[in-house]
Amino acid sequence: MNTLLRTLLVGSSLTVMAGLAAPALAQEVPDASASQDEDVQEEAAPTNEIVVTGSRVRRETYNTNAPVDVVTREETVLAGTASVADALQDSTLASGSAQLNEAYLGFVSPGGAAANSIGLRGLGPQRTLVLLNGRRLSPAGVGPELIAADLNVLPNAILQRIEVLREGASSIYGSDAIAGVVNLITDEVDGVTVDFYTNQPVEHGGGGRTYRASVTGGTVFDGGYITGSFEYREQTPLKVRDREEFRCPTDLLTDPDTGEPVGQRVPGSDELRCFPFDSGGIAQNYLLVADTGINRYSYRDGDITQPYLVNDLDIRPLASRRQLDVDVTSALRTFTGFLSAGVDVGALGNAEIYGEALVTRRESQQNDIAQINYNADTIGFEVGPRAAATSITGLPVVAYPFAPTALDTGGTQILRPFIVPPIVDRSQEVNYYRGVAGIRGDLGFGNFRYDASVVYSLTDSTSTVEGIDARKFRNAVTAVIAPDGTPDQFVTVAGPGTVGAGNRYTCAANVAGGNYLPGANCVLFNFADPAVLAGDIPQASLNYLYEDVVGETSFEQITGQLILDGTLLDLPAGPVNIALGAEFRRDSIDDNPSEIAQSGNLYNFTSSGRTKGSDEVIEAFGEASIPILADKPFFRELTLDVSARITDYESYGSDFTYRVGGTWAPTDFLRFRGSYGTAYRAPNLYEQFVADQTGFYPASFDPCDEFASVFDPSSNRYQNCLADLEPILGTAGALNFTATGGPQVITQGGRDVLEAETSTSWGLGAILTLPAVGFSLTADYFNIEVNGQVDLLNSGILSRCFNSDDFRSGNEFCEFIEARDDGQGNLTSFRNPYLNIASQKVGGIDFSARQSMALLGGQFTADLRATRMLTQELQSFEGDEPVNYNGRLAFQSSLGGPKWVGDADLRFSFGDITFRYGLQYVGPMDGNEFVEEGLLAAPVVDGDPVDFDLLAEEYFEHDISVQFRIQDLGQLTLGVNNVFNNKPSVISSAGGFPRIGNYFNYSGYDIIGRSFFLNMTRSF
């Protein structure tokens, strides 16, 4: 914090001289009127009146009692940003909260892999509303979890500015605007502009490069305008091997006595291994062999006759070098076309008919690794050297002729391989369409106007993953003697050292009635072969097992809106301006996973049902800006702003939200503002309709696993576990129970159960403006509390059931849990529906300072911003103790993050040349407190506690650029981002926080490294 304050003070001291106000990065709206084109706005009248984000009332200036930041296209060019997402996900603009970006490649994540979203105040993208020219931008992406706008669909070439409202605004814009609103405003052009941009990392390594090219054209004519643009953007993937710092993640744990590093080691040495299991290492090149006990074996020197024990983690085979080929960021290509037009019709109140069209295609791809292991629960049987009716897991054993004889002890053994196969490919294709048609004009009385519009949006996308059909895997491990006439390509000969040595085998699925089945094409999977176990799988086996698994997603949104606005009456202090309106919206989703996924046969992946449903809402809203006093002593201005909205959702019913705000200016140079309001978020379609997505928890998640040795006999947990297990295992068996299988978890939507999230927000701010010296300073306090948050309890369902006083006798959580299996007493499954369970509270202070001055014959401009988060509390369930995540490590799109973030933007313009220096600051984040408070388990190595470090140090990033405006040629901008090649913070593997290499994966850090950018613009 002290470092940040020093930075702000130094910057302020550099700029205390007088000058005229000039535009700066993310400037506050009240002081921006000198730099903005007031007649370019999404709902602008043909007068000088404007509409500012956060209000639908026309005003004569940009003054507003809401905190609105502005980022112009010119500023993004000087900063070298590659896309709208880069500009919006800036850590200061987003209050330091972690964002979903291209470095977050979760298979199941909002919008799917490669989606970019914006979530303000750490409350998630589903609580931030994104607008394009004042109208809602519908979700886009792949998969069922389409909960927010994908910033990839937005046009960069035609962007004029971005306005960011950082407070709740549901009474103005409706659902989702709990944390704030982002409004992207496009430009009108007269002429043709060609633009080219590239960003090239100094440390190439083959990835992380960006290219963008666009052409924009338009004309403004008497009575109308038309503007169009086309843009192409490409981003090459950054792989693990592309950066030295990514290639060897370790656990970063130390001995508390000696300070020496501890962890998994390279076999036969004291050197710590890269990719240990807790740092992304994927187990490979060994067999799990189980009979009465469990052991693990690999082959010495690749000899099947020489298996050796690798139970000790230090002697297990090293991670596959294929992990170096995994993508850290997505390969991405976007094609974006945008068209806007308007024409005066000379009737219907001097009406203008207008329209917009946006078409975007996103192609993204990732290289990944998916381990091949033997999932007996999916297959339905075990395999081993000899057949048996039952095994240690309770499943039958099918004879596997390729089992090593050296591991055949004559018992009822089972074999399970751990193999890292070649890289698999995942890809997404997202086609996004959005059309706007409207008419606006004068109502014919006073200055009242009307604006009626219809917006239609459609996301049509496909996701493809190279996956294994479990039915094929089952066929590939079920071998029989190959009958005569079986084609050689479908025959596998058991080699020396195997229990079936010398015999010719084929898949049982290839045989019918003792003969080869014509057309059958199953290829046996000889996973016990040393080469295969090491990952060298024959192409024929890969071709049979793997196939492209394609899912299709459609999301449709239709919005109709009517707004009336004008002056209701004139008071001594000024006109009372109002806006009234009504809106209808219908959202529908149809996510249709592949047949393999729906039938539960996508091997080692969760199964997914078809998520299909719709919701409708009808709303009426109103807003008024009422001047109370003006031009009086101590009351240069006193204005009251009120708004309200009535909402009726098909899914959860009606609601009422409101906001009251005010502005008091005791002098010309000092202004105070404040507001209080309510907001809401209707459950999105994913939360309502997600259809039975299944997964599995490990056996250790059973609340009764070894309960008798852990819990007090008088505790609810002990008594409930005994009551649950005793009828199945008897008293002695129950008291010695160890779970051998984990439960299936079934995630479900909460339609007809969920209610809307509600929130209250309030804020107070002060604005100091000194036009005579060109200086302004703003400070805004904000507080947002969300209640009834829609979320999943996950394993919390199990603990709340088994810790309850009314276990299995009316407890609401126990009703989600199915009965245990009547053999070994393992939990079988439980339902995990979306519920209204949690509450969140965030609060903090936003600061901004700006000054401009004439200097050395040029113009110097400085802009400083900072956010101090004061609280980020989450109460997971009513009655739980809230946890404050402020200043702590954060996962993407979740609470947590630095207490302080800030940036500085300094520019000096001299003639046709502009120089820029930028600084980004991210404060420290401490995850050690999670362990200290018992929220995370302290790591141990070989049963002994170890020291760890979950403190992400403060981070600085410096950028420089220079821009040349060359007459009759165009504009050329050159720059260097991350001049000093500052690296992200390094943290230990403890706690499972996302890491890239040893670096904490946080969206506010630059993982590409120092890079040069070039932007060329030519207008005709």
Side-chain angles (χ1 to χ4, degrees):
M1 179 180 73
N2 292 334
T3 305
L4 176 62
L5 289 177
R6 286 197 300 271
T7 301
L8 292 174
L9 289 172
V10 170
S12 296
S13 66
L14 290 172
T15 59
V16 296
M17 298 178 66
L20 296 174
L25 185 63
Q27 57 210 11
E28 281 279 342
V29 166
D31 307 303
S33 56
S35 64
Q36 303 295 333
D37 295 327
E38 295 186 351
D39 59 343
V40 183
Q41 175 57 274
E42 74 281 6
E43 298 173 32
T47 70
N48 287 329
E49 294 178 318
I50 55 173
V51 179
V52 178
T53 300
S55 173
R56 295 190 184 277
V57 172
R58 278 179 287 156
R59 305 169 187 270
E60 294 183 354
T61 72
Y62 275 82
N63 286 344
T64 174
N65 58 39
V68 179
D69 290 326
V70 178
V71 180
T72 68
R73 172 171 169 76
E74 290 76 13
E75 292 157 359
T76 65
V77 170
L78 273 170
T81 56
S83 65
V84 173
D86 286 348
L88 282 173
Q89 292 181 337
D90 163 82
S91 59
T92 307
L93 201 60
S95 305
S97 54
Q99 306 296 321
L100 286 170
N101 60 15
E102 66 275 2
Y104 185 71
L105 301 180
F107 182 73
V108 179
S109 59
N116 280 261
S117 59
I118 177 69
L120 301 175
R121 306 300 193 196
L123 296 177
Q126 67 271 39
R127 298 179 185 90
T128 296
L129 180 62
V130 179
L131 310 175
L132 178 59
N133 291 327
R135 298 174 185 85
R136 181 180 295 259
L137 195 70
S138 67
V142 297
E145 201 171 352
L146 299 189
I147 63 172
D150 181 5
L151 304 179
N152 287 306
V153 309
L154 292 167
N156 188 81
I158 199 65
L159 181 68
Q160 197 250 4
R161 68 182 182 273
I162 305 169
E163 296 182 353
V164 181
L165 169 68
R166 293 198 280 179
E167 71 170 19
S170 284
S171 61
I172 305 295
Y173 296 108
S175 179
D176 306 337
I178 283 180
V181 177
V182 175
N183 189 12
L184 298 107
I185 300 167
T186 59
D187 209 348
E188 295 175 13
V189 300
D190 195 357
V192 176
T193 298
V194 178
D195 183 84
F196 172 78
Y197 167 90
T198 184
N199 187 77
Q200 300 289 323
V202 173
E203 186 179 356
H204 253 262
R209 301 187 297 272
T210 302
Y211 305 92
R212 190 188 70 228
S214 66
V215 58
T216 302
T219 182
V220 178
F221 52 90
D222 186 20
Y225 67 92
I226 184 169
T227 298
S229 72
F230 176 79
E231 178 177 305
Y232 170 79
R233 179 166 62 96
E234 180 179 354
Q235 172 185 285
T236 63
L238 184 69
K239 297 183 180 297
V240 172
R241 68 168 63 255
D242 289 342
R243 296 291 183 269
E244 182 179 355
E245 299 88 351
F246 300 166
R247 298 171 194 160
C248 188
T250 60
D251 290 331
L252 297 182
L253 307 173
T254 57
D255 187 298
D257 296 324
T258 66
E260 292 297 316
V262 296
Q264 282 181 265
R265 301 190 180 275
V266 174
S269 79
D270 291 330
E271 180 185 354
L272 291 178
R273 67 169 63 196
C274 301
F275 292 102
F277 294 144
D278 286 338
S279 295
I282 300 175
Q284 64 118 21
N285 198 15
Y286 68 83
L287 290 168
L288 183 147
V289 182
D291 190 348
T292 55
I294 298 175
N295 290 292
R296 296 162 181 84
Y297 292 90
S298 190
Y299 299 126
R300 195 175 306 280
D301 300 323
D303 187 345
I304 198 171
T305 66
Q306 297 187 54
Y308 67 100
L309 277 172
V310 292
N311 287 339
D312 191 315
L313 291 177
D314 286 345
I315 61 175
R316 296 229 185 130
L318 298 176
S320 170
R321 292 192 61 81
R322 286 174 175 154
Q323 291 200 236
L324 298 176
D325 294 320
V326 171
D327 288 339
V328 174
T329 62
S330 297
L332 180 72
R333 295 197 304 169
T334 61
F335 307 83
T336 304
F338 180 80
L339 179 68
S340 66
V343 60
D344 296 338
V345 297
L348 301 175
N350 299 316
E352 176 193 39
I353 296 176
Y354 62 92
E356 292 177 12
L358 171 65
V359 178
T360 298
R361 179 186 181 93
R362 190 239 296 178
E363 299 173 354
S364 49
Q365 183 264 337
Q366 304 84 33
N367 286 331
D368 203 358
I369 281 181
Q371 181 195 67
I372 296 179
N373 54 42
Y374 192 92
N375 189 330
D377 290 325
T378 299
I379 300 303
F381 56 81
E382 304 280 2
V383 295
R386 62 193 71 249
T390 189
S391 65
I392 188 174
T393 63
L395 294 171
V397 183
V398 171
Y400 189 65
F402 310 113
T405 55
L407 296 176
D408 181 14
T409 62
T412 307
Q413 293 169 289
I414 63 174
L415 304 178
R416 294 188 178 183
F418 293 88
I419 301 169
V420 171
I423 289 289
V424 296
D425 178 79
R426 292 188 293 160
S427 62
Q428 304 81 36
E429 182 182 293
V430 180
N431 295 302
Y432 181 79
Y433 311 93
R434 182 179 188 266
V436 179
I439 182 171
R440 54 194 168 200
D442 298 327
L443 278 175
F445 55 89
N447 65 348
F448 271 85
R449 289 175 52 83
Y450 67 90
D451 189 339
S453 63
V454 176
V455 183
Y456 175 80
S457 301
L458 173 66
T459 294
D460 184 12
S461 61
T462 59
S463 60
T464 303
V465 59
E466 290 181 327
I468 296 175
D469 188 331
R471 292 163 295 196
K472 289 186 176 181
F473 193 94
R474 187 179 298 114
N475 291 340
V477 296
T478 308
V480 296
I481 295 292
D484 292 340
T486 303
D488 289 342
Q489 64 264 38
F490 304 129
V491 173
T492 301
V493 178
T498 64
V499 296
N503 293 322
R504 291 164 49 87
Y505 293 93
T506 191
C507 302
N510 290 343
V511 178
N515 298 310
Y516 169 72
L517 185 64
N521 64 351
C522 175
V523 177
L524 284 172
F525 183 41
N526 183 3
F527 62 73
D529 180 88
V532 174
L533 198 63
D536 188 12
I537 303 172
Q539 192 61 47
S541 288
L542 292 174
N543 292 343
Y544 176 70
L545 289 173
Y546 284 91
E547 61 183 85
D548 284 344
V549 181
V550 180
E552 299 177 343
T553 306
S554 174
F555 191 104
E556 185 180 59
Q557 184 177 92
I558 302 173
T559 302
Q561 186 181 86
L562 173 64
I563 300 174
L564 310 177
D565 73 282
T567 299
L568 180 65
L569 55 92
D570 288 309
L571 297 179
V576 176
N577 293 320
I578 67 170
L580 303 172
E583 182 173 317
F584 167 82
R585 187 172 71 255
R586 184 180 191 275
D587 292 343
S588 61
I589 188 172
D590 186 359
D591 177 66
N592 190 15
S594 65
E595 183 277 331
I596 296 175
Q598 291 194 51
S599 62
N601 284 301
L602 184 54
Y603 193 61
N604 280 346
F605 282 97
T606 59
S607 67
S608 303
R610 187 171 186 174
T611 298
K612 186 175 183 179
S614 63
D615 204 357
E616 294 182 359
V617 60
I618 299 175
E619 300 176 289
F621 52 89
E623 181 185 0
S625 179
I626 307 169
I628 308 298
L629 293 171
D631 299 323
K632 303 292 184 182
F634 301 106
F635 290 96
R636 300 300 297 171
E637 178 189 350
L638 182 62
T639 301
L640 177 67
D641 290 292
V642 295
S643 60
R645 177 176 289 249
I646 299 173
T647 300
D648 185 20
Y649 264 91
E650 181 183 63
S651 58
Y652 79 88
S654 301
D655 206 345
F656 175 78
T657 56
Y658 64 90
R659 178 184 181 276
V660 179
T663 301
W664 171 45
T667 69
D668 289 333
F669 60 85
L670 183 62
R671 180 186 303 270
F672 298 95
R673 61 189 179 193
S675 67
Y676 177 87
T678 61
Y680 71 94
R681 184 181 74 88
N684 58 53
L685 297 184
Y686 177 75
E687 294 162 342
Q688 292 188 53
F689 295 106
V690 57
D692 291 0
Q693 289 190 341
T694 64
F696 289 90
Y697 279 175
S700 59
F701 275 63
D702 189 327
C704 298
D705 184 36
E706 300 182 352
F707 74 94
S709 62
V710 178
F711 297 96
D712 187 283
S714 63
S715 66
N716 283 349
R717 176 74 68 92
Y718 187 102
Q719 294 295 326
N720 292 339
C721 287
L722 185 63
D724 212 34
L725 289 163
E726 198 170 29
I728 301 171
L729 303 177
T731 302
L735 294 175
N736 289 289
F737 173 72
T738 299
T740 58
Q744 181 186 60
V745 56
I746 306 169
T747 301
Q748 298 176 320
R751 176 75 171 198
D752 300 325
V753 176
L754 291 174
E755 298 178 354
E757 295 178 355
T758 60
S759 76
T760 57
S761 65
W762 63 277
L764 294 172
I767 307 162
L768 175 67
T769 306
L770 303 175
V773 296
F775 178 78
S776 67
L777 177 67
T778 302
D780 284 289
Y781 172 79
F782 61 89
N783 183 288
I784 304 173
E785 184 169 353
V786 183
N787 295 302
Q789 178 178 309
V790 177
D791 211 340
L792 297 171
L793 271 177
N794 298 314
S795 60
I797 289 175
L798 302 177
S799 60
R800 292 181 184 282
C801 169
F802 282 87
N803 289 337
S804 66
D805 294 324
D806 51 351
F807 176 73
R808 300 285 193 189
S809 59
N811 180 271
E812 59 181 316
F813 302 107
C814 293
E815 293 178 0
F816 296 132
I817 305 172
E818 300 300 319
R820 293 177 177 270
D821 73 61
D822 56 7
Q824 296 183 316
N826 291 318
L827 282 176
T828 55
S829 66
F830 69 96
R831 291 178 289 118
N832 185 31
Y834 275 94
L835 302 168
N836 293 99
I837 53 175
S839 298
Q840 291 191 62
K841 182 179 181 180
V842 298
I845 305 175
D846 294 324
F847 302 94
S848 68
R850 180 184 316 111
Q851 189 166 22
S852 182
M853 57 184 287
L855 179 67
L856 301 176
Q859 190 74 16
F860 174 73
T861 303
D863 181 48
L864 307 174
R865 293 183 304 162
T867 294
R868 172 58 160 98
M869 296 297 294
L870 299 174
T871 185
Q872 296 188 71
E873 284 187 0
L874 174 65
Q875 184 183 35
S876 296
F877 197 78
E878 186 177 359
D880 286 357
E881 189 70 23
V883 177
N884 193 348
Y885 289 81
N886 194 31
R888 302 189 181 187
L889 296 178
F891 292 92
Q892 280 87 345
S893 190
S894 70
L895 275 181
K899 293 181 179 179
W900 277 101
V901 291
D903 60 37
D905 185 84
L906 309 179
R907 291 182 292 170
F908 177 70
S909 297
F910 183 83
D912 292 328
I913 303 176
T914 298
F915 300 91
R916 175 188 181 269
Y917 165 74
L919 170 68
Q920 293 277 347
Y921 172 81
V922 177
M925 292 172 275
D926 192 354
N928 295 315
E929 297 177 2
F930 287 117
V931 180
E932 295 167 3
E933 297 174 6
L935 298 173
L936 289 176
V940 296
V941 173
D942 297 329
D944 297 321
V946 294
D947 286 343
F948 56 93
D949 185 7
L950 292 177
L951 176 63
E953 303 286 351
E954 61 184 4
Y955 174 82
F956 293 88
E957 183 182 324
H958 306 263
D959 309 318
I960 59 173
S961 63
V962 58
Q963 185 176 89
F964 303 92
R965 291 171 294 279
I966 306 171
Q967 189 174 4
D968 300 326
L969 183 60
Q971 178 177 281
L972 176 66
T973 307
L974 302 168
V976 183
N977 285 330
N978 197 357
V979 174
F980 300 109
N981 202 29
N982 289 341
K983 306 295 185 182
S985 289
V986 170
I987 61 171
S988 301
S989 62
F993 291 98
R995 300 196 306 167
I996 300 175
N998 292 324
Y999 294 142
F1000 177 42
N1001 183 10
Y1002 167 71
S1003 59
Y1005 298 151
D1006 173 30
I1007 64 172
I1008 300 294
R1010 182 191 297 118
S1011 61
F1012 293 93
F1013 70 86
L1014 165 69
N1015 190 285
M1016 296 185 296
T1017 303
R1018 175 72 187 276
S1019 296
F1020 303 92

